[in-house]
Amino acid sequence: MTPWLQGLARLRQYPSALAGLGIIALLVAMAVYAVTAIPYSEARELWRGGEAWQDLPTNASPVWTDRLLGGNAPRTIRVATDDVVMEQERYEGVRLQRAVLPVDFPYGGFPQEINLFVESQFDERQPFVRLTWRTPDGESIPLDARRVGESERISISQDRQLESRLGFTPQVGLFTDAEPGADDPQVRQGTYELVIEAIQFEETATLDANLVVYGQVHGLFGTDHKRRDLTVALLWGTPVALAFGLLAAVGTTLTTLIIAATGVWFGGWVDAVIQRLTEINIILPLLPILVMVGTLYSTSIWLMLGVVVVLGIFSAGIKMYRSMLLPIREAPYIEAARAYGAGNARIILRYLVPRILPVLIPTFVTLIPTYVFLEASLAVLGLGDPVLPTWGKILNDAQAQSALYHGFYYWVLAPAALLMLTGLGFAMLGFALDRIFNPRLRNV
Amino acid sequence: MTTPQPSASASRAARGEPVLCVEGLQTHFDLRQWGFVRVGSVRAVDGVDFTLDAGETVAVVGESGCGKSSLARTLLALHRPTDGAIRFDGTPLNGLSGSALKAYRGRVGYVQQDPYGALPPFMDIQRILAEPLIIHGVRGRAERARRIDAALEEVGLTPAADTRGKFPHQLSGGQQQRVVIARALLLRPAMIIADEPVSMLDASVRVEILELLRRVQREHHLALLYITHDLSTVRHYVDRAMVMYGGRIVEQAPVAELLARPGHPYTEALLSALGDPDADNAHRQREVPGGEPPSLIQPPSGCRFHPRCRHAMPGKCELEPPPPDFRPRPDHRIACWLHE
């Protein structure tokens, strides 16, 4: 059994390490699920927004937070003509189609919006549609009556004329029995109906309607200002964050280590050049440089990753690794290796680097969340990848829409919680690994 | 390509040519200030001549800091000589590089003082022994495994299967040194340089390791350069001994001759400091040379031993360094004006 496996086996003695591993496993599972359930191209397409989300309310909080606080905010209700029987009567030259869409409304709050999406097929003459709203106690309220095109959105809640008739905005007035203009209208629960009557002038013409009564709450994580379900971005943020953190940590740690080892091994001017480069690089500010690259060039996440790795190579780590490697350089086994003919590259990669690699594992693990946070910080600063959904982008959107001012706490808390969970998981594992692999902390 | 083949070396040996021939060898280390201004040098090896025949065991004896380890490292091409010539199997070592240097390193084995430090702690024994074979292009896992097992068994680590999978820290000091010797033998060298191979081992295993070195040296007809500060281990295991002082060889002779009739005052002093298993010794006053080992940065003028020498001749020894080849007998060379 190699020392590596022995070290990993000792992880079992640290409950915090197991908890950290559990968190990391959860994140990895989320990442794998995200990548398999929503392919990369589809995720980018979805996050662009648009029609895919037209059935969802804007800025809806998660269902469970409302229920947890004892609320009964409405969910979104969708009823389509496909779900009900459409009656048909024939007259001379015209057909009258009639559909009744039931809206079961047991909630304690008014809906956010009411839209009817109508699609019809015809050759020349547009169908004529008349809409009537029926309350649970049989009262009928005439809504709109109009010709409809091939694909049309009838915004019932935007109907100003209806609003003045009802004395409330339509989404309130249609669901209450309060006197028009009352201060505190209450919801009347029960089953409402939307009656759609269409006059078709052509024999083959069709009509499909889709009523959406938008709720105040949605799903596990709510929606944002573009009606996008945050679940997509929270799920897809996981593989992006893990990949960014892991690649940046691996990229910087390994190259830094190899460069430090090269400097230590050759010494002389090679070492001097590496040390001076490091000293210059250490005083260069990373964030402003990234902001500059993002502003002037591109905010692609992979370009940012590249810049982070390149600037991370000649980092303070070189000094630390150098101090660890200098005594090893003089070790008799290195002298022996030279004496039996090992070349420079072999000595650096097989004799110097592996000697301190175990000590680096904890540093490396605790470095991963640092880069995850860096990516999120960049996104919050508006330098996030424009097409890829990430945790940082959610925070950026939330900040741009003043989410906290408007009380959309869920919008900030969910991505922040995931970021913190990531940090916690890797930190707990890293600290335990540090105790195992770092000889100075052993038996402490 | 000037790589000497084993058959060539065998024929050279048959003609009586030495395996190793060292002439006027100097290894100095520059002392620098601010990294580039040279302010002096450490004259670790300062004019050394000797030869080493095939199948011959020669000891280099001297106190700490006399330059014997620097001599070993220069012979292993780990340090670049400042001046002088080294010829191995008739091929000059100066300026050797690339594959020729690698080939030379494959023909010289190295046994170090600290067996634990000499083995990379993160590799198992199998891997440690495979390294030289991989470097020298021995292809095929099976072939390498066969040679590794043979080497382990040759140095007495039987069965090899018990040792192969272990890590250095799981072996005793003696076993570690056996692995080091196995590694030195793996590439079938013509010469082995052993730098204090037993000084860090328990007294109980020193004899075993020295016996092992002598056995493999005889079986493979190796030239063995045995570097030690301990004259007591020299008597039974070497053919010839050289005494080094202040970066120079002050006396060389067959070991029996040297021990019986030391010619240089420094050799005499070393011998008198040697413990003798005789009860009378406990009460005998010994003559031990006073003073410090000489500075290698600013060595004493003339004969480097003169400040500590009982027989120093004022007006002679401190002025002129003695030539290294006063010969009271044909195979006995002394660098001392007393033998002029």
Side-chain angles (χ1 to χ4, degrees), chain B residues 13 178 193-194 308 333:
Chain B
R178 284 171 194 269
I193 295 176
R308 297 166 81 183
R333 295 165 65 186

Side-chain angles (χ1 to χ4, degrees), chain B residues 125-252:
Chain B
I125 303 303
Q126 172 95 22
R127 178 79 210 171
I128 289 170
L129 294 179
E131 279 287 309
L133 295 174
I134 293 169
I135 289 165
H136 287 271
V138 177
R139 306 217 177 277
R141 215 169 264 272
E143 166 70 5
R144 287 203 293 263
R146 194 186 60 69
R147 283 177 69 167
I148 289 168
D149 285 3
L152 283 174
E153 272 159 28
E154 178 164 22
V155 297
L157 292 168
T158 42
D162 286 354
T163 317
R164 271 194 313 237
K166 285 187 176 160
F167 283 84
H169 69 268
Q170 292 166 313
L171 302 178
S172 70
Q175 288 172 319
Q176 287 165 357
Q177 196 60 300
R178 284 171 194 269
V179 172
V180 172
I181 292 169
R183 182 171 68 182
L185 291 172
L186 259 180
L187 295 167
R188 313 199 202 298
M191 172 170 85
I192 283 189
I193 295 176
D195 187 359
E196 307 260 20
V198 295
S199 68
M200 282 183 74
L201 299 178
D202 288 350
S204 57
V205 293
R206 281 186 191 168
V207 174
E208 288 175 30
I209 295 295
L210 286 170
E211 290 283 355
L212 170 66
L213 272 174
R214 188 169 63 169
R215 180 167 59 77
V216 298
Q217 181 263 331
R218 284 191 181 152
E219 280 170 10
H220 295 273
H221 199 64
L222 297 169
L224 174 64
L225 193 69
Y226 170 57
I227 292 166
T228 181
H229 67 277
D230 182 5
L231 258 177
S232 64
T233 58
V234 162
R235 191 189 305 258
H236 304 290
Y237 300 101
V238 305
D239 305 319
R240 212 145 53 79
M242 305 192 284
V243 179
M244 215 171 157
Y245 185 82
R248 290 179 178 167
I249 289 174
V250 293
E251 180 165 11
Q252 49 180 309

Side-chain angles (χ1 to χ4, degrees), chain B residues 62-76:
Chain B
E63 62 197 338
S64 304
C66 72
K68 53 194 196 305
S69 287
S70 297
L71 173 66
R73 291 189 185 129
T74 310
L75 296 177
L76 286 158

Side-chain angles (χ1 to χ4, degrees), chain A residues 325-339:
Chain A
L325 285 165
L326 274 173
I328 298 171
R329 177 196 145 93
E330 306 299 330
Y333 78 84
I334 303 266
E335 187 178 60
R338 278 185 73 199

Side-chain angles (χ1 to χ4, degrees), chain B residues 86-161:
Chain B
I86 304 169
R87 268 180 294 126
F88 179 77
D89 249 353
T91 316
L93 211 65
N94 303 43
L96 218 58
S97 65
S99 53
L101 179 63
K102 192 164 132 182
Y104 166 71
R105 287 182 158 156
R107 308 220 39 230
V108 181
Y110 184 28
V111 178
Q112 284 152 297
Q113 181 175 17
D114 168 13
Y116 181 62
L119 301 170
F122 48 87
M123 294 185 187
D124 62 10
I125 303 303
Q126 172 95 22
R127 178 79 210 171
I128 289 170
L129 294 179
E131 279 287 309
L133 295 174
I134 293 169
I135 289 165
H136 287 271
V138 177
R139 306 217 177 277
R141 215 169 264 272
E143 166 70 5
R144 287 203 293 263
R146 194 186 60 69
R147 283 177 69 167
I148 289 168
D149 285 3
L152 283 174
E153 272 159 28
E154 178 164 22
V155 297
L157 292 168
T158 42

Side-chain angles (χ1 to χ4, degrees), chain A residues 22 25 80 166 172 191 204 207 213 236 325 363 382 384:
Chain A
L166 291 171
V172 174
T191 305
T204 54
L207 183 95
V213 179
W236 250 94
L325 285 165
T363 329

